[in-house]
């Protein structure tokens, strides 16, 4: 292949429809690469799957050839990216096997810089952080740092979940592990990439930006840790390469270790979990896979659209005998202000729920998708509808469509509300507040028992008898009790407030 470019036009014709017409090869053909993409960025697509041994950039054609060290690595890469198209500079690129079995590149065709990038990124991948010439050839300086970032979020006005961090940071490469915790009254997180280059790109791109306009500002540094040890996959910690980890109880401290960043076999890719790449396979039940995050034109502002920035949810597999618009309004209202609910007239097991905005819709999915409700596992995802239409005059509806936009029960109407800090996943323990002084422990236990709950534990808060924790027989029981008893009227305009608790009794 010396002194000539491969027959890319021929490959392009055969490769239509993103199929891989050739038998597996170490050499991969990558198409539709946007102009301005560097060799290092193309190489970074291959790094999680093994060592990259060669690169040929065809800049005029928006194409490249990438050679992996082994056929196994190439097969893993194609199998991974076929259902989950990777993106470079926010544009999809397509990968297939080439009919070349190896790349023999000379230094013609503007290949010197990609070759330098290749050496540099491979050096980072394999632990030698001292090479600076490589990225200098790409127009940057290679920093000497690891692949773990320490992230502090300031001015947390909206809750920041592990999934939101994942969505944002997976734009810059393969996120391997995330651990979240509070330290010095600050929200902090440690996030590990598959390789140090991605950590560098993410820090340079995101440090100082805000997740939402005017709040949740990211302060990013490199951590001294080289590797995170994650024992549980839950809403506080996750290892995306290990789908087999237990959920744990979310209360554990997470150990971190200063071991070398790459084991003898290199990095095992997170199989079946497309990072920053369109449709997703959730890592744990009820968790949401990545949604593309776009950086808007305004500096210092990252927006998280739904698909596309939608605030209407499609909720399915509901129990048609038990579900009501009001029940969905109360349950989804734990995670945002619900404006409208519509249960489908002909399919009573399906409903639409319209939240105040896309962020709240995303929170509701994160916490309620996969939750059991009236004996069924509920599914929640973004809808293709942008709004819920109210029925026209005279249209038969049987009260299945309700407008709650002016309801007094919205938890998040007031932007300074403490409710923003107290959003937790459904739990068997409920937090009760607004309890009148005349109401006793037995009154409350009897109230919950009358709605079919099993009361396992109860305690008033020592300082404030207006608040209490009540532990029920299961998470599902607690969900049903919250729907039934939130806003329960004790008389004389005293209404009980019920929410999920992060504590147990």
């Amino acid at each position: 292949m010396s002194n000539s470019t491969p027959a890319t036009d021929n490959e392009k014709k055969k490769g239509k429809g993103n199929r891989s017409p050739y038998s597996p090869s170490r050499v991969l053909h990558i198409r539709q690469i946007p102009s301005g993409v560097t060799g290092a960025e193309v190489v970074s697509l291959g790094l999680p799957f093994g060592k990259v041994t060669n690169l040929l950039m065809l800049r005029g054609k928006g194409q490249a050839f990438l050679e992996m060290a082994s056929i196994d690595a190439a097969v893993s890469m194609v199998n991974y990216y076929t259902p989950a198209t990777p993106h470079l500079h926010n544009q999809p690129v397509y990968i297939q096997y080439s009919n070349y079995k190896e790349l023999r590149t000379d230094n013609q065709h503007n290949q010197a810089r990609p070759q330098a990038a290749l050496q540099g990124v491979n050096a980072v991948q394999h632990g030698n952080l001292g090479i600076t010439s490589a990225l200098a050839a790409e127009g940057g300086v290679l920093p000497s740092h690891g692949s773990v970032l320490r992230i502090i979020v300031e001015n947390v006005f909206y809750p920041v979940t592990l999934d939101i961090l994942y969505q944002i940071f997976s734009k810059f490469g393969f996120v391997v592990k995330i651990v979240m915790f509070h330290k010095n009254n600050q929200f902090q997180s440690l996030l590990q990439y598959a390789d140090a280059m991605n950590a560098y790109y993410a820090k340079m791109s995101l440090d100082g930006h805000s997740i939402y306009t005017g709040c949740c500002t990211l302060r990013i540094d490199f951590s001294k840790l080289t590797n995170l040890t994650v024992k549980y996959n839950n809403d506080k910690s996750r290892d995306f390469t290990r789908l087999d980890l237990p959920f744990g109880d979310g209360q554990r401290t997470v150990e971190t270790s200063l071991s070398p960043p790459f084991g003898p076999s290199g990095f095992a890719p997170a199989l079946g979990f497309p990072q920053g790449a369109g449709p997703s396979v959730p890592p744990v039940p009820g968790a949401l896979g990545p949604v593309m995050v776009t950086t808007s034109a305004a500096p210092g502002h990252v927006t998280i659209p739904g698909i596309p920035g939608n605030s209407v949810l499609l909720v399915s597999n509901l129990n048609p005998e038990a579900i009501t618009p009001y029940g969905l309004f109360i349950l989804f209202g734990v995670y945002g202000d619900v404006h409208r609910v519509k249960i489908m007239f002909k399919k009573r097991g399906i409903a639409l729920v319209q939240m105040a905005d896309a962020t709240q819709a995303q929170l509701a999915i994160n916490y309620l998708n996969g939750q059991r409700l009236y004996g069924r596992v509920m599914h929640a995802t973004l809808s293709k509808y942008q709004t819920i239409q109210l029925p026209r005059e005279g249209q038969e509806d049987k009260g299945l469509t309700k407008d709650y936009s002016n309801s007094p029960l919205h938890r998040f109407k007031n932007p300074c509300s403490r409710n923003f800090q107290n959003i937790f996943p459904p739990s068997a323990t409920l937090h009760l507040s607004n309890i009148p002084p005349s109401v006793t422990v037995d009154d409350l236990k009897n109230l919950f028992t009358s709605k079919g709950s099993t009361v396992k534990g109860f305690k008033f808060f020592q300082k404030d008898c207006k608040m209490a924790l009540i532990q029920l027989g299961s998470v599902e029981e607690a969900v049903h009790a919250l729907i039934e008893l939130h806003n329960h009227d004790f008389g004389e305009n005293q209404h009980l407030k019920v929410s999920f608790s992060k504590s147990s009794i």
Side-chain angles (χ1 to χ4, degrees):
M1 197 185 100
S2 198
N3 294 331
S4 65
T5 53
T8 47
D9 292 334
N10 189 27
E11 298 223 7
K12 204 167 179 182
K13 285 181 192 123
K14 290 189 185 173
K16 281 281 191 259
N18 200 20
R19 289 188 302 277
S20 287
Y22 302 113
S23 59
S25 157
R26 291 195 300 131
V27 181
L28 300 169
H29 177 222
I30 306 173
R31 298 180 287 118
Q32 296 187 24
I33 299 171
S35 63
V37 167
T38 64
E41 288 172 300
V42 174
V43 169
S44 72
L45 292 175
L47 282 176
F49 304 95
K51 190 164 192 230
V52 178
T53 48
N54 215 336
L55 170 71
L56 174 66
M57 295 285 285
L58 304 172
R59 293 188 185 276
K61 298 196 167 182
Q63 298 179 29
F65 287 86
L66 195 69
E67 180 188 85
M68 302 299 289
S70 70
I71 285 203
D72 285 351
V75 170
S76 298
M77 185 172 165
V78 169
N79 289 350
Y80 186 90
Y81 285 133
T82 301
T85 309
H87 287 64
L88 291 173
H89 293 199
N90 293 327
Q91 300 294 318
V93 296
Y94 299 98
I95 299 176
Q96 64 196 55
Y97 300 116
S98 162
N99 57 354
Y100 294 94
K101 298 303 170 202
E102 63 171 343
L103 279 183
R104 296 189 305 281
T105 50
D106 50 25
N107 273 350
Q108 295 187 352
H109 309 302
N110 193 18
Q111 293 313 306
R113 286 172 60 185
Q115 290 306 305
L118 176 67
Q119 290 156 15
V121 182
N122 268 323
V124 173
Q125 167 80 346
H126 297 287
N128 173 7
L129 301 176
I131 295 183
T132 53
S133 62
L135 267 181
E138 282 285 338
V141 176
L142 189 67
S144 56
H145 61 75
S147 56
V148 179
L149 296 175
R150 188 178 70 128
I151 301 155
I152 294 174
V153 185
E154 296 175 347
N155 190 16
V156 182
F157 184 77
Y158 291 112
V160 176
T161 65
L162 188 144
D163 295 294
I164 285 172
L165 286 181
Y166 176 83
Q167 291 163 23
I168 294 168
F169 282 84
S170 58
K171 284 292 275 188
F172 298 90
F174 283 76
V175 174
V176 188
K177 299 169 187 171
I178 303 179
V179 177
M180 297 192 332
F181 52 95
H182 274 85
K183 187 175 175 184
N184 306 333
N185 281 337
Q186 283 182 316
F187 176 98
Q188 299 198 22
S189 175
L190 292 168
L191 182 144
Q192 182 176 344
Y193 278 105
D195 76 279
M197 272 316 307
N198 299 118
Y200 176 69
Y201 283 141
K203 179 188 182 321
M204 299 311 287
S205 304
L206 294 174
D207 187 23
H209 282 247
S210 297
I211 301 175
Y212 308 108
T213 309
C215 66
C216 301
T217 305
L218 299 168
R219 301 282 175 229
I220 305 171
D221 284 309
F222 295 109
S223 167
K224 294 186 177 70
L225 299 168
T226 54
N227 189 39
L228 304 179
T229 304
V230 173
K231 291 188 171 178
Y232 300 101
N233 277 344
N234 55 34
D235 54 358
K236 292 284 179 284
S237 65
R238 207 167 297 165
D239 182 338
F240 293 99
T241 68
R242 295 276 311 277
L243 304 189
D244 57 326
L245 290 178
F247 187 80
D249 58 9
Q251 307 292 320
R252 309 282 171 140
T253 55
V254 178
E255 288 182 22
T256 49
S257 67
L258 285 158
S259 58
F262 297 97
S265 60
F267 168 67
L271 294 174
F273 199 71
Q275 312 227 0
S280 62
V281 181
V284 290
L288 182 85
V291 178
M292 294 311 295
V293 180
T294 55
T295 307
S296 75
H301 174 50
V302 181
T303 55
I304 303 181
I307 314 173
N310 201 352
S311 59
V312 179
L313 303 172
L314 174 68
V315 186
S316 57
N317 203 36
L318 296 168
N319 181 336
E321 305 300 314
I323 201 64
T324 62
Y326 178 78
L328 289 171
F329 163 66
I330 292 296
L331 177 58
F332 280 77
V334 172
Y335 301 107
D337 292 338
V338 176
H339 284 190
R340 290 179 180 177
V341 178
K342 180 186 186 74
I343 293 175
M344 297 304 187
F345 189 73
K346 292 190 173 158
K347 291 185 179 171
R348 302 285 171 97
I350 298 175
L352 296 173
V353 177
Q354 184 173 332
M355 309 295 288
D357 60 42
T359 308
Q360 294 181 2
Q362 198 67 58
L363 274 178
I365 290 175
N366 288 358
Y367 287 117
L368 294 176
N369 181 40
Q371 174 58 49
R372 286 185 69 82
L373 181 63
Y374 303 121
R376 296 195 180 186
V377 176
M378 170 172 62
H379 301 301
T381 183
L382 288 163
S383 165
K384 63 181 181 184
Y385 297 105
Q386 299 286 333
T387 56
I388 293 176
Q389 298 293 330
L390 293 176
R392 294 187 303 278
E393 285 286 319
Q395 188 179 350
E396 190 183 17
D397 179 68
K398 297 208 164 136
L400 295 176
T401 307
K402 295 280 187 190
D403 184 284
Y404 295 104
S405 49
N406 295 317
S407 167
L409 297 187
H410 289 162
R411 295 174 189 244
F412 305 101
K413 263 259 164 50
N414 176 359
C416 301
S417 165
R418 285 170 61 184
N419 292 337
F420 283 104
Q421 275 80 52
N422 294 312
I423 296 178
F424 303 112
S427 56
T429 305
L430 295 171
H431 180 278
L432 311 181
S433 59
N434 223 28
I435 303 166
S438 58
V439 173
T440 65
V441 173
D442 285 344
D443 291 338
L444 286 163
K445 284 184 177 175
N446 291 339
L447 175 64
F448 278 80
T449 310
S450 74
K451 300 297 182 185
S453 299
T454 322
V455 177
K456 291 278 184 74
F458 184 92
K459 75 169 186 193
F460 274 112
F461 280 62
Q462 283 174 332
K463 292 179 184 167
D464 185 356
C465 284
K466 292 182 184 169
M467 295 199 286
L469 294 178
I470 188 164
Q471 188 173 342
L472 305 183
S474 68
V475 175
E476 187 176 6
E477 268 191 26
V479 169
H480 299 165
L482 180 139
I483 289 171
E484 289 278 325
L485 292 172
H486 179 61
N487 201 44
H488 172 78
D489 189 354
F490 288 114
E492 295 176 28
N493 209 14
Q494 302 265 359
H495 291 83
L496 180 67
K497 289 187 176 147
V498 184
S499 51
F500 297 117
S501 171
K502 66 173 176 187
S503 332
S504 48
I505 296 172

